[in-house]
């Protein structure tokens, strides 16, 4: 489904977001007060505008309330990101996602109206540390501070046994959402039944509490 996005601040992070959304077929308006940054994205976004979004009149003129989501990628200047986020909220933006430079910055942005705040460097570092400490872990997606979805290699002791026999949900507190087959990772078994037999090389997609998923990686 095609959605519309406004990306404010076209540094490396903002440019990556704008480009990826465009490649996925979405409508993207890129805005930055630096002309050189706008020139970097004009070839692949729907619209690109040189403007200072810390000014209320700019956000009003852009009609931010008409976009499905606004991404504020101006993390280096705390004052700017606060003014832009507050302005977006006042102008009726449907969803606001912000980039922050640290936890303090994140708390401020959430308090003034951001729906979600990311700290890319922190999150990338934390994810790398998890992968290094848990070799079976392939990838993770945080749904909240408590729950997440993780991809991991099937534990050796599960090989040859069925989902029902292992009673994964009751014994480990996790749900096997899907399984990627070792022969072809494009082949996915969604919501495997109780009679599914785990095979060597299977990649599990588990939903559950972070701590409980971590326990499975150590089996």
């Amino acid at each position: 489904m095609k959605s519309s996005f406004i990306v404010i601040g076209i540094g490396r992070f903002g440019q990556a977001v704008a480009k990826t959304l465009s490649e996925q077929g979405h409508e993207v308006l890129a805005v930055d007060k630096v002309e050189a940054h706008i020139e970097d994205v004009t070839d692949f976004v729907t619209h690109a505008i040189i403007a200072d979004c810390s000014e209320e009149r700019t956000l009003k003129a852009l009609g931010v309330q008409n976009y499905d989501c606004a991404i504020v990628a101006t993390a280096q200047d705390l004052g700017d990101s606060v003014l832009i986020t507050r302005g977006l909220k006042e102008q009726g933006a449907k969803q606001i996602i912000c980039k922050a430079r640290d936890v303090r910055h994140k708390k401020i942005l959430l308090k003034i109206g951001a729906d979600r705040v990311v700290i890319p460097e922190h999150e990338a570092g934390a994810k790398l540390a998890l992968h290094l400490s848990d070799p079976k872990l392939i990838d993770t997606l945080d749904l909240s501070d408590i729950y997440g979805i993780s991809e991991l290699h099937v534990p050796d002791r599960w090989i040859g046994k069925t989902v029902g026999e292992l009673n994964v949900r009751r014994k480990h507190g996790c749900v096997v959402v899907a399984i990627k087959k070792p022969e072809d990772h494009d082949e996915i078994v969604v919501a495997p039944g109780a009679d599914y037999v785990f095979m060597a090389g299977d990649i599990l997609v588990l939903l559950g509490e972070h701590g409980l998923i971590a326990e499975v990686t150590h089996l």
Side-chain angles (χ1 to χ4, degrees):
M1 181 178 178
K2 185 176 180 180
S3 299
S4 57
F5 298 85
I6 176 170
V7 182
I8 301 170
I10 309 299
R12 284 179 297 178
F13 176 78
Q15 183 177 143
V17 171
K19 186 173 184 178
T20 303
L21 288 171
S22 296
E23 289 172 347
Q24 294 300 312
H26 299 295
E27 177 186 348
V28 178
L29 167 62
V31 188
D32 198 291
K33 56 187 177 182
V34 179
E35 183 177 358
H37 292 174
I38 290 300
E39 290 175 351
D40 290 337
V41 297
T42 51
D43 289 341
F44 54 80
V45 298
T46 313
H47 304 287
I49 296 175
I50 303 169
D52 185 355
C53 286
S54 64
E55 297 181 359
E56 184 180 349
R57 62 182 180 181
T58 300
L59 295 177
K60 189 173 183 179
L62 292 174
V64 296
Q65 72 279 2
N66 298 318
Y67 289 83
D68 295 310
C69 180
I71 297 102
V72 182
T74 55
Q76 293 305 311
D77 190 318
L78 175 58
D80 270 3
S81 62
V82 166
L83 286 172
I84 294 168
T85 302
R86 187 174 63 186
L88 287 167
K89 192 70 176 178
E90 292 173 349
Q91 292 298 320
K94 296 173 184 175
Q95 183 182 21
I96 305 170
I97 299 175
C98 301
K99 176 187 176 184
R101 63 188 183 194
D102 53 39
V103 175
R104 173 177 167 271
H105 190 179
K106 177 177 180 177
K107 289 180 178 178
I108 292 171
L109 294 173
L110 287 170
K111 193 169 184 178
I112 64 173
D115 297 293
R116 181 182 174 190
V117 180
V118 298
I119 310 174
E121 294 84 358
H122 170 81
E123 293 170 10
K127 185 172 286 190
L128 174 61
L130 284 174
H131 293 171
L132 291 173
S133 63
D134 289 328
K136 287 183 179 294
L137 191 63
I138 298 171
D139 200 4
T140 59
L141 172 65
D142 292 341
L143 299 178
S144 70
D145 291 338
I146 299 175
Y147 294 97
I149 297 175
S150 295
E151 288 187 6
L152 59 146
H153 295 290
V154 62
D156 292 340
R157 65 178 67 177
W158 287 15
I159 297 173
K161 297 180 180 179
T162 67
V163 172
E165 183 182 357
L166 291 167
N167 207 346
V168 178
R169 186 167 188 171
R170 177 171 292 181
K171 291 183 179 179
H172 302 284
C174 300
V175 178
V176 182
V177 177
I179 295 170
K180 294 183 178 181
K181 300 305 297 175
E183 301 85 4
D184 181 357
H185 287 184
D186 288 333
E187 181 188 348
I188 300 176
V189 179
V190 179
D195 59 348
Y196 178 85
V197 180
F198 290 107
M199 300 174 58
D202 278 357
I203 295 175
L204 311 182
V205 181
L206 292 185
L207 167 66
E209 295 184 19
H210 297 303
L212 295 176
I213 292 176
E215 291 178 7
V216 173
T217 67
H218 290 99
L219 290 176

